[in-house]
């Protein structure tokens, strides 16, 4: 059987996503330490709190040994090619995981690796985050099929993976982005073809959020985009999640954010620190969902 990788939610079937979410909630001993005696390389070209810690602990809980490495130490495509890095490290580890600037780097690593490659965030996507988002939403509002999930803010890596998992799991995912920051029509069509849900893109936050069961956002300026800060802060000012925007959602709506957050920019403090917020549970679920994803990649049934 060919090696499975975890680069995007779109690479998974709905059954596989459900299986990972099930594995995430099983007692740890029932997973039988599939990484026993194996290493896991965790390479970070960008900073991280949640992803580094959740992945390191998930590897330990599955019996393995995580090796955290900063991007400049490995020097992907600087000291040696992404292909050489992956082919060599696959001889030391049971899992190769990387947080990269360019998505193509994890694709190229996967093309030569004999062990699973995990995308720990790229410019394109953040599939580990989407697993935690789906798990937290399920726990907060129940099965996602037929539910309404909204996003006001940037169409970015986190939004893309969330859109994919929502459509796979049968939810309606409605986003509002400023003009010039919207997904392309072909990407909307690609994501709509993934599953039984629906992806709707527009530019009106009130319309996207109307009646929603879950409201999400993320930073306006992602890591690596710092030079665009002034321009984006201006473009996104009307897309902030405020208490008055939340009031347009369902009365039971919950608020989600992958963190780190910038209070007063993409979300007001009274929302993210208020009773509807599930952001800390969401961050804690990064551990459980990472463990589920790694167990899946190691073949746990
Ligand atoms: N949400 C997330 O990926 O956080 P970190 O950047 O801290 O890993
Ligand atoms: N969109 C953000 C997510 C951080 C977890 C970024 O890429 O910086």
């Amino acid at each position: 059987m060919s090696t499975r990788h975890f680069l995007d939610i779109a690479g998974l079937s709905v059954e596989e996503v459900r299986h990972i979410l099930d594995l995430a909630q099983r007692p740890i001993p029932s997973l039988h330490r599939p990484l026993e005696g194996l290493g896991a390389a965790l390479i970070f070209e960008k900073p991280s709190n949640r992803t580094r810690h959740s992945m390191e602990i998930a590897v330990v809980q599955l019996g393995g040994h995580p090796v955290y490495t900063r991007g400049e130490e490995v020097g992907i495509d600087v000291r040696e090619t992404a292909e050489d890095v992956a082919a060599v490290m696959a001889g030391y580890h049971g899992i190769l995981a990387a947080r990269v600037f360019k998505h193509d780097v994890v694709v190229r690593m996967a093309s030569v690796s004999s062990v699973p490659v995990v995308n720990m965030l790229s410019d394109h996507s953040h599939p580990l985050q989407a697993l935690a988002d789906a798990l937290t939403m399920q726990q907060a509002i129940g099965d996602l099929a037929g539910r309404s999930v909204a996003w006001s803010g940037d169409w970015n890596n986190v939004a893309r993976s969330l859109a994919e998992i929502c459509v796979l799991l049968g939810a309606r995912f409605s986003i509002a982005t400023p003009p010039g920051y919207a997904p392309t029509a072909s990407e909307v069509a690609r994501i709509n073809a993934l599953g039984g849900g629906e992806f709707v893109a527009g530019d009106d936050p009130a319309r996207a959020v109307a009646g929603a069961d879950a409201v999400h956002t993320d930073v306006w300026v992602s890591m690596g985009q710092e030079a665009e800060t002034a321009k984006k802060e201006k473009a996104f000012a009307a897309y902030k999640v405020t208490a008055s925007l939340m009031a347009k959602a369902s009365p039971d709506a919950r608020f989600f954010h992958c963190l780190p957050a910038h209070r007063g920019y993409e979300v007001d403090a009274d929302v993210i620190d208020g009773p509807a917020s599930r952001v800390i549970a969401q961050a804690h679920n990064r551990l459980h969902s990472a463990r589920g994803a790694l167990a899946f990649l190691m073949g746990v049934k």
Side-chain angles (χ1 to χ4, degrees), residues 8-298:
D8 274 306
I9 295 297
L12 301 166
S13 67
V14 61
E15 292 78 18
E16 287 170 335
V17 170
R18 289 198 188 283
H19 180 47
I20 293 172
L21 296 177
D22 172 56
L23 289 170
Q25 296 173 91
R26 285 194 205 162
I28 296 166
S30 73
L31 302 173
H32 300 298
R33 297 169 69 83
L35 284 170
E36 186 73 50
L38 296 172
L42 309 180
I43 305 167
F44 285 86
E45 292 184 347
K46 306 180 187 182
S48 174
N49 171 4
R50 283 144 289 273
T51 307
R52 175 188 176 175
H53 287 264
S54 60
M55 284 290 282
E56 286 208 24
I57 301 306
V59 168
V60 169
Q61 289 176 336
L62 296 176
H65 179 95
V67 180
Y68 168 79
T69 313
R70 291 174 60 95
E72 60 264 35
E73 291 176 83
V74 182
I76 296 174
D77 291 334
V78 177
R79 287 189 78 226
E80 53 189 325
T81 64
E83 288 84 355
D84 282 358
V85 169
V88 169
M89 282 194 168
Y92 309 146
H93 295 285
I95 293 279
L96 306 184
R99 168 169 283 197
V100 297
F101 283 96
K102 294 185 187 146
H103 188 72
D104 181 55
V105 167
V106 284
V107 173
R108 286 164 54 214
M109 290 174 72
S111 74
V112 299
S113 178
S114 56
V115 303
V117 172
V118 176
N119 172 12
M120 296 194 295
L121 180 147
S122 69
D123 56 340
H124 179 73
S125 55
H126 197 2
L128 286 169
Q129 182 66 52
L131 290 176
D133 299 348
L135 181 59
T136 316
M137 283 194 289
Q138 277 185 10
Q139 291 168 345
I141 64 173
D143 192 285
L144 295 185
R147 305 309 291 270
S148 177
V149 181
W151 176 283
S152 179
D154 199 12
W155 173 245
N156 64 11
N157 45 9
V158 171
R160 183 175 286 104
S161 293
L162 182 60
E164 291 178 357
I165 207 162
C166 284
V167 172
L168 260 180
L169 293 174
R172 181 176 195 272
F173 186 65
S174 183
I175 68 163
T177 56
Y181 293 92
T184 61
S186 68
E187 189 154 44
V188 174
R190 174 187 71 79
I191 292 172
N192 265 313
L194 289 176
E198 186 187 8
F199 178 32
V200 182
D203 62 7
D204 181 353
R207 199 163 166 189
V209 163
D213 302 299
V215 178
H216 291 247
T217 193
D218 183 17
V219 292
W220 294 336
V221 181
S222 286
M223 292 180 277
Q225 299 181 335
E226 290 75 11
E228 297 173 49
T229 302
K231 185 176 157 220
K232 291 191 88 173
E233 283 178 0
K234 201 167 159 209
F236 283 87
Y239 291 78
K240 176 189 301 194
V241 179
T242 60
S244 68
L245 187 65
M246 284 299 291
K248 299 183 191 312
S250 154
D252 299 328
R254 302 293 182 225
F255 174 75
F256 302 83
H257 189 308
C258 64
L259 304 181
H262 299 82
R263 288 166 176 78
Y265 290 86
E266 75 272 10
V267 60
D268 274 338
D270 57 350
V271 174
I272 193 168
D273 300 321
S277 179
R278 287 293 174 273
V279 301
I280 301 302
Q282 188 181 0
H284 291 170
N285 273 333
R286 290 295 308 274
L287 169 59
H288 310 304
S289 52
R291 189 173 61 246
L294 295 178
F296 164 74
L297 291 170
M298 297 309 292

